[in-house]
mmCIF file of all heavy atoms in Angstrom:
data_model
loop_
_atom_site.group_PDB
_atom_site.id
_atom_site.type_symbol
_atom_site.label_atom_id
_atom_site.label_comp_id
_atom_site.label_asym_id
_atom_site.label_seq_id
_atom_site.Cartn_x
_atom_site.Cartn_y
_atom_site.Cartn_z
ATOM 1 N N THR A 62 23.183 -2.557 -5.048
ATOM 2 C CA THR A 62 22.488 -1.341 -4.636
ATOM 3 C C THR A 62 21.665 -0.804 -5.809
ATOM 4 O O THR A 62 22.037 -0.971 -6.972
ATOM 5 C CB THR A 62 23.473 -0.246 -4.183
ATOM 6 O OG1 THR A 62 24.426 -0.036 -5.222
ATOM 7 C CG2 THR A 62 24.195 -0.642 -2.915
ATOM 8 N N ILE A 63 20.578 -0.169 -5.485
ATOM 9 C CA ILE A 63 19.698 0.441 -6.489
ATOM 10 C C ILE A 63 19.360 1.844 -6.000
ATOM 11 O O ILE A 63 18.939 2.019 -4.851
ATOM 12 C CB ILE A 63 18.387 -0.357 -6.659
ATOM 13 C CG1 ILE A 63 18.700 -1.828 -6.968
ATOM 14 C CG2 ILE A 63 17.530 0.245 -7.752
ATOM 15 C CD1 ILE A 63 17.456 -2.712 -6.947
ATOM 16 N N GLU A 64 19.556 2.815 -6.871
ATOM 17 C CA GLU A 64 19.282 4.214 -6.499
ATOM 18 C C GLU A 64 18.436 4.878 -7.578
ATOM 19 O O GLU A 64 18.774 4.818 -8.759
ATOM 20 C CB GLU A 64 20.595 4.997 -6.449
ATOM 21 C CG GLU A 64 21.315 4.995 -5.131
ATOM 22 C CD GLU A 64 22.564 5.840 -5.254
ATOM 23 O OE1 GLU A 64 22.437 7.054 -5.489
ATOM 24 O OE2 GLU A 64 23.657 5.258 -5.171
ATOM 25 N N THR A 65 17.387 5.526 -7.154
ATOM 26 C CA THR A 65 16.571 6.283 -8.102
ATOM 27 C C THR A 65 15.641 7.223 -7.336
ATOM 28 O O THR A 65 15.619 7.230 -6.107
ATOM 29 C CB THR A 65 15.748 5.346 -9.021
ATOM 30 O OG1 THR A 65 15.075 6.118 -10.014
ATOM 31 C CG2 THR A 65 14.719 4.555 -8.235
ATOM 32 N N MET A 66 14.906 8.021 -8.073
ATOM 33 C CA MET A 66 13.897 8.899 -7.478
ATOM 34 C C MET A 66 12.604 8.644 -8.247
ATOM 35 O O MET A 66 12.488 9.018 -9.410
ATOM 36 C CB MET A 66 14.342 10.357 -7.614
ATOM 37 C CG MET A 66 13.351 11.355 -7.051
ATOM 38 S SD MET A 66 13.262 11.341 -5.256
ATOM 39 C CE MET A 66 14.554 12.517 -4.883
ATOM 40 N N LEU A 67 11.666 7.998 -7.608
ATOM 41 C CA LEU A 67 10.413 7.659 -8.283
ATOM 42 C C LEU A 67 9.372 8.738 -8.031
ATOM 43 O O LEU A 67 9.318 9.315 -6.953
ATOM 44 C CB LEU A 67 9.903 6.310 -7.785
ATOM 45 C CG LEU A 67 10.834 5.114 -8.014
ATOM 46 C CD1 LEU A 67 10.269 3.865 -7.366
ATOM 47 C CD2 LEU A 67 11.061 4.886 -9.501
ATOM 48 N N GLU A 68 8.572 8.999 -9.054
ATOM 49 C CA GLU A 68 7.456 9.948 -8.899
ATOM 50 C C GLU A 68 6.183 9.137 -8.709
ATOM 51 O O GLU A 68 5.637 8.598 -9.663
ATOM 52 C CB GLU A 68 7.337 10.846 -10.131
ATOM 53 C CG GLU A 68 8.496 11.815 -10.310
ATOM 54 C CD GLU A 68 8.599 12.844 -9.180
ATOM 55 O OE1 GLU A 68 7.554 13.348 -8.745
ATOM 56 O OE2 GLU A 68 9.735 13.125 -8.744
ATOM 57 N N LEU A 69 5.750 9.040 -7.479
ATOM 58 C CA LEU A 69 4.530 8.283 -7.175
ATOM 59 C C LEU A 69 3.350 9.231 -7.097
ATOM 60 O O LEU A 69 3.513 10.447 -7.075
ATOM 61 C CB LEU A 69 4.690 7.557 -5.840
ATOM 62 C CG LEU A 69 5.890 6.625 -5.698
ATOM 63 C CD1 LEU A 69 5.917 6.025 -4.310
ATOM 64 C CD2 LEU A 69 5.871 5.548 -6.754
ATOM 65 N N GLU A 70 2.155 8.658 -7.034
ATOM 66 C CA GLU A 70 0.951 9.470 -6.854
ATOM 67 C C GLU A 70 0.534 9.375 -5.391
ATOM 68 O O GLU A 70 0.261 8.282 -4.893
ATOM 69 C CB GLU A 70 -0.159 8.938 -7.762
ATOM 70 C CG GLU A 70 -1.395 9.796 -7.748
ATOM 71 C CD GLU A 70 -2.478 9.233 -8.654
ATOM 72 O OE1 GLU A 70 -2.970 8.121 -8.394
ATOM 73 O OE2 GLU A 70 -2.825 9.917 -9.636
ATOM 74 N N CYS A 71 0.492 10.514 -4.733
ATOM 75 C CA CYS A 71 0.065 10.531 -3.338
ATOM 76 C C CYS A 71 -1.382 10.042 -3.261
ATOM 77 O O CYS A 71 -2.251 10.533 -3.980
ATOM 78 C CB CYS A 71 0.172 11.947 -2.776
ATOM 79 S SG CYS A 71 -0.565 12.127 -1.143
ATOM 80 N N GLN A 72 -1.629 9.075 -2.389
ATOM 81 C CA GLN A 72 -2.963 8.484 -2.313
ATOM 82 C C GLN A 72 -3.942 9.358 -1.526
ATOM 83 O O GLN A 72 -5.124 9.051 -1.467
ATOM 84 C CB GLN A 72 -2.892 7.082 -1.699
ATOM 85 C CG GLN A 72 -2.106 6.102 -2.553
ATOM 86 C CD GLN A 72 -2.682 5.962 -3.950
ATOM 87 O OE1 GLN A 72 -3.788 5.476 -4.126
ATOM 88 N NE2 GLN A 72 -1.937 6.407 -4.958
ATOM 89 N N SER A 73 -3.435 10.435 -0.938
ATOM 90 C CA SER A 73 -4.351 11.355 -0.249
ATOM 91 C C SER A 73 -4.811 12.464 -1.185
ATOM 92 O O SER A 73 -5.999 12.686 -1.354
ATOM 93 C CB SER A 73 -3.658 11.978 0.959
ATOM 94 O OG SER A 73 -3.441 11.001 1.937
ATOM 95 N N CYS A 74 -3.828 13.160 -1.815
ATOM 96 C CA CYS A 74 -4.200 14.331 -2.615
ATOM 97 C C CYS A 74 -4.087 14.069 -4.113
ATOM 98 O O CYS A 74 -4.445 14.931 -4.911
ATOM 99 C CB CYS A 74 -3.330 15.527 -2.224
ATOM 100 S SG CYS A 74 -1.598 15.343 -2.664
#
Side-chain angles (χ1 to χ4, degrees):
T62 54
I63 306 172
E64 271 181 63
T65 186
M66 179 71 88
L67 300 175
E68 292 296 319
L69 304 178
E70 186 180 63
C71 171
Q72 296 302 294
S73 291
C74 67

